[in-house]
Amino acid sequence: MILSKLSESWEKMKRADITLDEIYNLILNTATREWERKQLLKCKLEIENGTDKEQALGELEYRLRPLAVRNNLTPDIADFYAKLSGEKQDIESFDLTKHFEDDGPDIERAIFAGGCFWCMVEPFETRPGIIAVISGYTGGQSENPTYDEVSRGTSGHVEAVEIIYENKVISYQVLVELYWQLIDPTDDSGQINDRGANYQPIIFVRDEEQKKIANASKEKLKQSRKFTKPIVVPIRKVEKFWPAENYHQDFYKKNRVRYRRIENSRKQYLAYLKLKGWLKRKFNKK
């Protein structure tokens, strides 16, 4: 009983250090997600309207807790939550070292956009020869875009993955062939349940060799007549790639249940499209 009261007193002391200015700065932080901003704003208004500060902060901690335990808060909010809860949070940061390193003689990169990047990581990352798969944004005008900006369509970027690989183990040709299996190449307005320009499928090529391989693979897909509609995925010159926030990296590892639900939905839809194409080819032959 005594230990419980001491622990409760310690949490109150930690929360007493939290100021309205600190909450306000997080509300204004462009990296704060809209849902997180709403929770902070609600807490701030409650305190300003006379609610006991300890009670308001306690309720805020309760609302943030489900995302905190799944490492799904944005970095600044994760740090704030650690202070709010009075406990050291084990928020693992994604290692972006490989993104900034110079590539060796046998190391290459590929960038693909194919709808939500949550479902574009595991299929590549689990292949031999893959060094890293990084979720991020590319193809737009603004610098250092945030998830909210990209989602609102104000930055011009699309969600994409940067794949760093050993070309002696896995080829760019194999990566492109795998890419076609993950997307609906007939949809240039999004992918499956993800709608909007920020989810447009695009192949970004780094040099003439990648461009040649991508174009040949696209033509091969057209000739296969696997889909009932035209193949509309553009092939564009690579642009600066901006790594996404920590909570988006390795999403399939951090949120297994949610990821599998989204992944299964995509697989079912793509299987349906392929079945339609197969039926069309079969009846056309008859």
Side-chain angles (χ1 to χ4, degrees):
M1 184 70 175
I2 295 175
L3 289 176
S4 177
K5 287 185 176 181
L6 286 173
S7 177
E8 186 177 332
S9 298
W10 172 248
E11 287 189 14
K12 288 183 178 180
M13 288 174 63
K14 294 285 287 184
R15 288 174 183 166
D17 294 335
I18 296 174
T19 65
L20 279 176
D21 284 343
E22 187 174 356
I23 296 174
Y24 186 61
N25 287 335
L26 286 170
I27 292 172
L28 296 179
N29 190 332
T30 57
T32 299
R33 280 186 301 177
E34 193 59 35
W35 181 85
E36 295 169 332
R37 185 174 289 111
K38 287 180 180 179
Q39 309 314 312
L40 293 166
L41 185 59
K42 180 179 180 181
C43 178
K44 177 177 176 292
L45 292 174
E46 286 174 348
I47 295 173
E48 290 176 340
N49 290 331
T51 300
D52 178 72
K53 180 182 176 183
E54 168 60 24
Q55 178 184 338
L57 290 174
E59 291 176 356
L60 175 61
E61 186 275 331
Y62 177 77
R63 294 196 298 271
L64 294 177
R65 191 184 307 164
L67 272 68
V69 297
R70 297 200 305 270
N71 292 342
N72 208 12
L73 293 171
T74 50
D76 289 339
I77 299 297
D79 292 341
F80 174 76
Y81 180 82
K83 186 176 180 181
L84 184 65
S85 63
E87 299 176 359
K88 184 180 183 300
Q89 298 299 309
D90 184 20
I91 306 297
E92 181 181 352
S93 294
F94 183 79
D95 184 9
L96 289 172
T97 305
K98 295 297 181 183
H99 171 73
F100 297 102
E101 287 182 353
D102 293 331
D103 297 335
D106 301 324
I107 306 301
E108 294 185 19
R109 302 187 185 218
I111 296 180
F112 300 119
C116 178
F117 44 32
W118 289 347
C119 290
M120 292 288 289
V121 176
E122 184 184 28
F124 291 106
E125 191 171 72
T126 52
R127 295 296 179 102
I130 301 299
I131 297 171
V133 180
I134 301 168
S135 298
Y137 318 111
T138 190
Q141 302 80 37
S142 64
E143 295 194 356
N144 295 307
T146 65
Y147 181 69
D148 280 348
E149 290 172 344
V150 176
S151 298
R152 288 196 300 266
T154 57
S155 70
H157 291 282
V158 292
E159 293 190 15
V161 289
E162 178 184 63
I163 304 163
I164 306 174
Y165 63 98
E166 296 180 69
N167 58 23
K168 288 187 175 181
V169 181
I170 189 169
S171 67
Y172 183 71
Q173 174 76 42
V174 171
L175 295 178
V176 174
E177 295 297 331
L178 176 56
Y179 169 74
W180 294 125
Q181 298 174 36
L182 304 175
I183 67 163
D184 174 5
T186 68
D187 186 358
D188 59 0
S189 300
Q191 284 294 289
I192 299 86
N193 293 324
D194 305 317
R195 312 313 304 164
N198 54 304
Y199 292 122
Q200 181 185 6
I202 305 172
I203 297 177
F204 292 91
V205 293
R206 305 183 67 85
D207 51 37
E208 285 301 315
E209 181 64 19
Q210 284 193 354
K211 182 178 179 180
K212 179 181 177 182
I213 293 172
N215 277 316
S217 182
K218 180 178 177 180
E219 183 59 30
K220 179 182 176 182
L221 184 62
K222 287 181 179 179
Q223 296 303 321
S224 72
R225 299 169 62 199
K226 289 182 178 179
F227 296 90
T228 58
K229 296 179 181 179
I231 307 300
V232 294
V233 177
I235 297 172
R236 286 168 44 182
K237 185 178 179 180
V238 70
E239 299 183 42
K240 187 172 178 60
F241 182 88
W242 303 91
E245 296 84 344
N246 177 64
Y247 64 91
H248 288 303
Q249 307 297 343
D250 276 346
F251 182 85
Y252 78 96
K253 295 178 181 178
K254 298 174 182 176
N255 299 270
R256 298 297 298 178
V257 175
R258 186 178 180 190
Y259 167 70
R260 288 304 177 197
R261 186 166 62 246
I262 299 172
E263 180 196 34
N264 289 336
S265 176
R266 285 175 67 113
K267 284 183 176 180
Q268 289 171 7
Y269 181 77
L270 295 176
Y272 162 72
L273 289 182
K274 291 174 183 177
L275 176 61
K276 279 181 63 178
W278 179 81
L279 289 172
K280 182 179 180 181
R281 292 194 304 276
K282 183 176 181 180
F283 284 108
N284 282 346
K285 285 182 181 179
K286 290 184 178 181

